[in-house]
């Protein structure tokens, strides 16, 4: 058995995963990151021990623990270098957990581990190479080639969300302008939609949220777009345009067998997928050559735990 930990800005989820990457049992607790890293790590250890006890197996049967973190981790030292959501800098996560639990610990970026889960048992199963793109509050990525995660020499590779794809009307959290995340995340979609509304454009979105613009989210915008709303479609098409540039860049560099789209916005399903596939086909290089498939991710939220557990396999 393996343990997977999905450490998020909102929740910590811990699960037991078997050799076939099947999630057998899991539980979670709020992260409450404002308490600082020591308290959060105490909760992770507590939740791991509870999970083992609840499931009724002994600690000796746990071969490894994998953790996906929402930021940059050094996969070799297991140190969390930088996590803006958690306010963590240079936290020795692997070392602390191994000392407390006496089980080998592996740490990597959350989008990378979700990509590994999709590669093991999800949308990229049986592929030679796959790239996973998560379209959520931010945009993250995971690259898996021949069964191995590629996070780069220094652990800062596969940061697909911070690939520059154009010039934008606002800056990225990373301090630069033009990152894919500022065009293709739910945050970006909402920001651009609000911009159009503030410019006085008529839209059914305002009615859908009863005039309360703070309630505009990705789901509402996609719903309106599917119903044919002009503003919603303009916002979705802009997202698709820049996402397609990002995907085309990935294809030019890696030519992966499969690209899987996950995260909250992928809930828009075929409506989004068809637009992305069409736009990539329109802008891609070397049209006389075939390219890999672009598909929807299949695992949803469980990918975080399953992929983290797979780090130790
Ligand atoms: Zn950025």
């Amino acid at each position: 058995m393996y343990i997977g930990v999905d450490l998020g800005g909102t929740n910590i989820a811990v699960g037991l995963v078997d050799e076939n990457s099947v999630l057998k049992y899991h539980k979670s607790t709020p992260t409450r990151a404002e308490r600082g890293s020591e308290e959060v790590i105490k909760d992770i250890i507590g939740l791991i021990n509870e999970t083992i006890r609840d499931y009724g197996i002994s600690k000796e049967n746990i071969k490894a623990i994998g953790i996906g973190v929402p930021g940059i981790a050094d996969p070799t030292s297991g140190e969390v270098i930088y996590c803006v959501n958690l306010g963590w800098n240079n936290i020795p996560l692997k070392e602390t957990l191994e000392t407390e639990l006496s089980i080998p610990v592996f740490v990597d970026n959350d989008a990378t581990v979700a990509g590994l889960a999709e590669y093991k048992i999800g949308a990229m199963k049986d592929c030679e190479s796959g790239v996973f793109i998560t379209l959520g509050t931010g945009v993250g990525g995971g690259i898996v080639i021949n069964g191995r995660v590629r996070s780069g020499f220094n652990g800062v590779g596969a940061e697909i969300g911070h690939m520059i794809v154009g010039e934008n009307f606002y800056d990225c959290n990373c301090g630069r302008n033009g990152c894919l995340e500022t065009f293709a995340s739910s945050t970006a979609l909402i920001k651009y939609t609000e911009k159009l509304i503030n410019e006085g454009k008529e839209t059914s979105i305002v009615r859908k949220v009863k005039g309360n613009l703070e309630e505009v989210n990705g789901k509402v915008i996609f719903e309106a777009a599917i119903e044919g709303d002009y503003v919603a479609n303009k916002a979705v098409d802009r997202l698709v345009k820049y996402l397609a540039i990002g995907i085309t860049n990935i294809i030019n560099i890696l030519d992966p067998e499969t690209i899987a789209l996950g995260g909250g916005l992928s809930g828009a399903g075929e409506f989004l997928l068809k637009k992305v596939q069409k736009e990539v086909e329109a802008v891609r290089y070397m049209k006389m050559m075939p390219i890999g498939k672009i598909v929807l991710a299949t695992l949803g939220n469980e990918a975080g735990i399953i992929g983290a557990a797979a780090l130790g396999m």
Side-chain angles (χ1 to χ4, degrees):
M1 285 290 223
Y2 297 84
I3 285 200
V5 181
D6 183 3
L7 172 58
T10 314
N11 286 303
I12 304 164
V14 171
L16 270 171
V17 176
D18 73 9
E19 276 69 13
N20 300 315
S21 288
V22 177
L23 179 59
K24 304 303 266 186
Y25 177 78
H26 65 107
K27 62 193 307 181
S28 66
T29 186
T31 311
R32 293 185 289 141
E34 67 283 356
R35 298 173 299 154
S37 63
E38 272 184 31
E39 292 300 312
V40 173
I41 291 172
K42 258 187 216 161
D43 281 359
I44 295 172
I45 293 164
L47 208 56
I48 289 171
N49 283 327
E50 276 175 40
T51 302
I52 294 170
R53 199 179 55 223
D54 289 359
Y55 196 72
I57 57 167
S58 71
K59 220 161 86 174
E60 288 68 41
N61 291 323
I62 307 295
K63 292 195 178 125
I65 297 168
I67 308 183
V69 299
I72 307 271
D74 181 335
T76 313
S77 69
E79 196 175 325
V80 180
I81 310 293
Y82 179 65
C83 256
V84 75
N85 290 344
L86 300 175
W88 287 18
N89 279 305
N90 303 312
I91 305 294
L93 187 59
K94 174 187 167 82
E95 197 188 310
T96 313
L97 262 66
E98 285 184 345
T99 308
E100 286 289 329
L101 295 163
S102 307
I103 301 170
V105 174
F106 301 86
V107 183
D108 215 317
N109 170 265
D110 56 0
T112 297
V113 306
L116 185 57
E118 292 291 343
Y119 187 91
K120 284 232 155 206
I121 59 164
M124 308 192 298
K125 190 169 183 279
D126 298 326
C127 288
E128 179 260 352
S129 52
V131 174
F132 172 71
I133 306 176
T134 169
L135 308 168
T137 315
V139 171
I143 299 171
V144 190
I145 298 171
N146 291 325
R148 296 203 58 183
V149 160
R150 298 292 171 197
S151 306
F153 182 67
N154 298 292
V156 292
E159 286 293 339
I160 288 164
H162 298 280
M163 165 180 12
I164 307 281
V165 292
E167 199 177 335
N168 211 347
F169 66 93
Y170 73 101
D171 286 342
C172 183
N173 285 335
C174 75
R176 304 180 309 153
N177 188 279
C179 293
L180 180 61
E181 178 163 300
T182 65
F183 291 99
S185 62
S186 58
T187 314
L189 184 65
I190 294 163
K191 263 197 167 51
Y192 185 68
T193 303
E194 281 174 347
K195 185 173 182 287
L196 294 176
I197 294 171
N198 290 334
E199 286 168 3
K201 303 271 192 312
E202 263 313 305
T203 168
S204 64
I205 295 168
V206 180
R207 276 199 306 281
K208 278 180 184 288
V209 297
K210 300 185 176 71
N212 186 0
L213 292 187
E214 278 177 11
E215 284 183 17
V216 174
N217 57 33
K219 194 161 174 267
V220 170
I221 298 167
F222 269 101
E223 258 173 37
I226 290 166
E227 290 161 13
D229 181 80
Y230 170 78
V231 164
N233 274 293
K234 197 170 152 84
V236 168
D237 288 347
R238 183 177 190 261
L239 179 149
V240 169
K241 176 186 164 181
Y242 288 99
L243 179 57
I245 294 173
I247 289 175
T248 305
N249 290 342
I250 293 168
I251 293 170
N252 284 352
I253 298 166
L254 290 172
D255 181 22
E257 187 176 345
T258 303
I259 293 177
L261 307 178
L265 289 185
S266 70
E270 291 291 318
F271 178 76
L272 173 65
L273 182 67
K274 290 242 159 65
K275 279 179 182 284
V276 174
Q277 287 169 333
K278 196 173 156 205
E279 184 66 15
V280 169
E281 199 47 49
V283 300
R284 77 183 181 90
Y285 175 62
M286 292 281 276
K287 286 205 175 59
M288 69 289 269
M289 295 291 288
I291 53 169
K293 310 186 284 285
I294 303 170
V295 299
L296 294 168
T298 57
L299 296 177
N301 285 339
E302 289 181 355
I305 296 177
I306 294 169
L311 286 176
M313 290 182 190

